[in-house]
Amino acid sequence: MTSPFAVPREEQRFVDAARDLAPRFAAAADEHDHEATLPVANLTALHEAGLDMAAMPRDRGGSGLSYQALGEILGIVGKACPSTACVWTMHLGAAQALVGYGPPVYAEELAAGKRFANALSEPTGGNLFLMPLQRAEPVDGGFELDGAKRFVSGCEIADHFLVNALVDDGPAFFGVSRDDSIEMVSIWDSMGLRGTRSQLVHFRNTLLRHGNRCHIVDPTAPNIIALGLPWLSIGVAEAALDAATDHARKRVVPSTGNPVGDMQWVHFDAADAHVKLLAARVLAERSMWLADRNAPGALDAAVEAKLYANQVAKDIAEFGLRVGGGSGFLRSSPIQRHFRDAQAGALMAFSVEVCRDMIGKRLTGGEQPRYGERGVERPVVDLHAT
């Protein structure tokens, strides 16, 4: 029986393209992690495979890829190299806004292979990435922004930034091309997702041009980043489980001569990990299914999927570390990288604390703020909100 969440047959070629690229991405993942280098070759390969434009609207030259197919692709890429998946998700998210709601030039730039980055999260903003605190002042030709954005994944190779600021006391979104007013501050030396190089970016009296304003009708509508982030954790969890079970099969306990995998606790915990991962996938697939149908509950479902996927990734990565023991603790083992990468999802906006608060308020009838409003502010780090 075909799953109700199956990728449409006509889009399977895009999933196959990602699956063909995945072994190459996986082979370089440890190096990008160790050296904290951007996976530029991977991002280029995704573009050359047609996956950048595939996710864009048909009326802007894209293929109108379903969220269902995009989720599957993000999971594949995230399992192979989560830093690649994270930078690419943010690239697509910025492009979705600029191509879909900005001037036609952005579709042309994306098709030509130009890079996009989200610059929405502010140093003091917490999870308020849709409600900026920094004000842009009116000048000839637009507005001028003097402020900083943090955790801007892939910023060092970005040609265009999606930037938000307060304009007339409300949030406004602009496309900003790289110029001398934009300064990268090299602060990225993180525990996990080291290949994203998500630096701090200063906009020093940067012009936000009238002509590059994105007239987003509803910033809370289903979008690639909100719906895609659960898949990043799912990819990490799948890689962590594969590494753990591979180690369990191959590693022999000297005192018994039997594989680690023969231990009953390993059987039990592996079974739990497998079922949790299946459940996380179903929640994420459900959110994509709802988004493809423009259902009003799509973002609520994405918050639920993200919360669970983040927790599952951490649980499975911790299981892998227990299975690996001292060997898994060494840098030479992929187990320790999966453990470090698994921590990031819970910190990414909306963080798990905010997700819990939003879901809990909905269940108990508490005041429920809309996405991006000040009511969801929390004093927690929103790693990779951009």
Side-chain angles (χ1 to χ4, degrees), residues 41-370:
N42 296 353
L43 299 168
T44 300
L46 289 166
H47 172 76
E48 292 177 347
L51 295 176
D52 280 352
M53 289 304 296
M56 296 300 111
R58 293 183 185 276
D59 61 0
R60 295 300 177 104
S63 300
L65 189 69
S66 68
Y67 280 109
Q68 204 76 63
L70 181 61
E72 190 67 26
I73 292 167
L74 288 173
I76 291 167
V77 177
K79 180 179 180 180
C81 178
S83 287
T84 298
C86 183
V87 175
W88 191 52
T89 299
M90 301 306 166
H91 162 73
L92 290 182
Q96 181 182 44
L98 293 172
V99 170
Y101 302 103
V105 66
Y106 288 119
E108 298 168 7
E109 289 286 271
L110 184 66
K114 300 297 184 181
R115 305 299 312 167
F116 292 72
N118 268 289
L120 303 179
S121 180
E122 297 174 353
T124 60
N127 278 244
L128 287 172
F129 57 97
L130 293 180
M131 180 58 70
L133 303 177
Q134 297 169 358
R135 185 175 301 277
E137 300 298 333
V139 295
D140 289 341
F143 302 87
E144 199 171 73
L145 176 63
D146 187 20
K149 303 290 183 176
R150 72 185 317 191
F151 300 133
V152 186
S153 299
C155 59
E156 294 163 325
I157 57 171
D159 300 290
H160 304 287
F161 297 85
L162 176 65
V163 180
N164 60 353
L166 285 177
V167 170
D168 299 326
D169 295 324
F173 299 83
F174 297 84
V176 176
S177 299
R178 190 188 199 96
D179 63 23
D180 292 339
S181 72
I182 301 174
E183 176 190 357
M184 314 288 159
V185 182
S186 185
I187 62 171
W188 193 247
D189 189 10
S190 61
M191 179 171 71
L193 294 188
R194 290 171 53 78
T196 64
R197 294 192 61 79
S198 304
Q199 312 290 14
L200 181 74
V201 178
H202 278 295
F203 293 88
R204 302 195 184 280
N205 299 315
T206 300
L207 179 62
L208 310 181
R209 300 179 184 277
H210 283 307
N212 290 343
R213 186 166 180 173
C214 297
H215 296 282
I216 300 175
V217 177
D218 181 9
T220 69
N223 63 83
I224 287 173
I225 294 177
L227 288 152
L229 284 180
W231 292 96
L232 178 59
S233 285
I234 288 170
V236 172
E238 289 183 345
L241 185 56
D242 281 359
T245 54
D246 183 65
H247 182 90
R249 286 191 296 267
K250 295 177 180 177
R251 178 70 170 178
V252 173
V253 180
S255 59
T256 65
N258 296 324
V260 170
D262 280 358
M263 296 181 177
Q264 189 179 60
W265 73 266
V266 177
H267 297 165
F268 286 179
D269 286 7
D272 287 346
H274 171 71
V275 174
K276 286 179 180 179
L277 188 48
L278 287 177
R281 285 190 66 94
V282 169
L283 284 175
E285 289 171 340
R286 169 177 167 264
S287 70
M288 298 311 219
W289 186 88
L290 289 169
D292 281 331
R293 286 152 182 78
N294 264 338
L299 282 184
D300 284 341
V303 169
E304 294 165 348
K306 182 182 182 299
L307 171 62
Y308 193 62
N310 294 163
Q311 294 171 321
V312 166
K314 292 172 70 173
D315 289 348
I316 294 178
E318 191 269 339
F319 163 61
L321 203 58
R322 286 189 287 113
V323 170
S327 298
F329 198 69
L330 298 175
R331 186 182 288 276
S332 57
S333 170
I335 289 173
Q336 53 78 32
R337 174 169 60 84
H338 301 321
F339 179 83
R340 290 185 287 105
D341 286 342
Q343 311 309 309
L347 302 174
M348 298 162 75
F350 296 117
S351 66
V352 293
E353 289 78 14
V354 171
C355 290
R356 285 173 174 150
D357 191 48
M358 296 169 76
I359 296 168
K361 283 181 177 177
R362 176 156 46 88
L363 293 174
T364 61
E367 183 180 354
Q368 180 65 29
R370 292 187 302 167

